[in-house]
Amino acid sequence: MWYVAQTTCGKEREAMEKCRNALDNTTAAHIFVPRYEYRKKYQGQWHTEEATAFPGYIFIESREPEKLEKALERIPHTVTPVCIGGGFYPIRQEEEGFLRQLLDSQACIRFSTGYLVDGQLQVWQGPLKQAQSKVRKIDRHKRLAEIEIQLFEESRYIRLGLEVKAKVSGEEYERMLETA
């Protein structure tokens, strides 16, 4: 089960390392900061960069929540367990399952590519293929998509890398699928 701890924005990596040093493997099986790939143009070329998907949060996989909560409280000024409804609870199974679909083994959501087919987004490749119905906004210039996800039963918006290669008709897209 995945638990969430809050930390200072921009200090997620540092907090993750402190937690890895302070927590044993039985308390925390996996500690990670979800990131996403995006593309940025500088020096006349496009470069692949990474950014934190959930600024100010680290995720911890554990089967011992009581032990984990007490251990996190012993790491002062670094992390605070996220308590919802008065307790330290994991994120819901559906939420964890959806995030597992997006994340790769390095806890990164890789860059996706797609097309606008008759005004509708069709993700061609990448992790957004499973989440294209959750895309709420596309910034073609910055090559970003904003998707709506559920976390702790609340809607949250995160940005992910997406390049929309072109606007095409449905017939053109069908021909592309046939030749791929």
Side-chain angles (χ1 to χ4, degrees):
M1 302 175 125
W2 287 2
Y3 294 84
V4 181
Q6 192 170 15
T7 189
T8 307
C9 280
K11 303 278 186 185
E12 297 89 0
R13 292 264 213 215
E14 184 181 310
M16 178 180 70
E17 289 306 319
K18 284 185 179 180
C19 287
R20 284 182 175 166
N21 292 334
L23 302 173
D24 61 58
N25 289 345
T26 59
T27 305
H30 185 50
I31 303 167
F32 61 100
V33 175
R35 300 169 334 277
Y36 69 94
E37 275 186 345
Y38 66 99
R39 301 235 169 99
K40 190 172 186 174
K41 190 173 187 176
Y42 52 89
Q43 298 175 342
Q45 295 180 354
W46 286 99
H47 300 268
T48 302
E49 307 274 329
E50 288 186 4
T52 303
F54 299 95
Y57 295 96
I58 63 170
F59 286 65
I60 304 167
E61 185 173 359
S62 178
R63 298 213 180 278
E64 300 186 35
E66 296 85 17
K67 194 173 171 185
L68 176 62
E69 185 177 15
K70 287 182 177 136
L72 289 175
E73 289 170 355
R74 290 192 306 261
I75 311 172
H77 312 296
T78 302
V79 293
T80 305
V82 174
C83 295
I84 303 294
F88 185 52
Y89 301 113
I91 63 174
R92 292 184 13 222
Q93 285 183 336
E94 310 87 67
E95 298 165 346
E96 181 181 329
F98 176 71
L99 289 173
R100 280 185 188 272
Q101 284 182 341
L102 294 178
L103 295 166
D104 67 6
S105 61
Q106 287 87 40
C108 187
I109 304 168
R110 300 295 170 193
F111 195 76
S112 296
T113 57
Y115 293 89
L116 283 177
V117 180
D118 295 329
Q120 295 292 318
L121 175 67
Q122 290 292 321
V123 178
W124 184 262
Q125 64 183 23
L128 271 178
K129 199 168 189 171
Q130 288 90 338
Q132 69 186 17
S133 64
K134 296 182 180 292
V135 174
R136 298 295 174 253
K137 195 163 140 183
I138 300 169
D139 186 334
R140 289 187 70 192
H141 178 70
K142 292 184 178 179
R143 290 172 165 72
L144 292 171
E146 186 174 84
I147 69 166
E148 180 179 9
I149 65 165
Q150 294 292 312
L151 193 60
F152 292 117
E153 298 182 22
E154 290 181 12
S155 289
R156 298 187 190 270
Y157 294 90
I158 62 171
R159 295 186 325 180
L160 302 176
L162 170 69
E163 179 178 10
V164 176
K165 296 220 176 242
K167 291 181 180 180
V168 297
S169 69
E171 293 141 9
E172 290 172 305
Y173 190 70
E174 289 297 323
R175 281 194 297 273
M176 291 167 56
L177 288 174
E178 288 172 4
T179 60

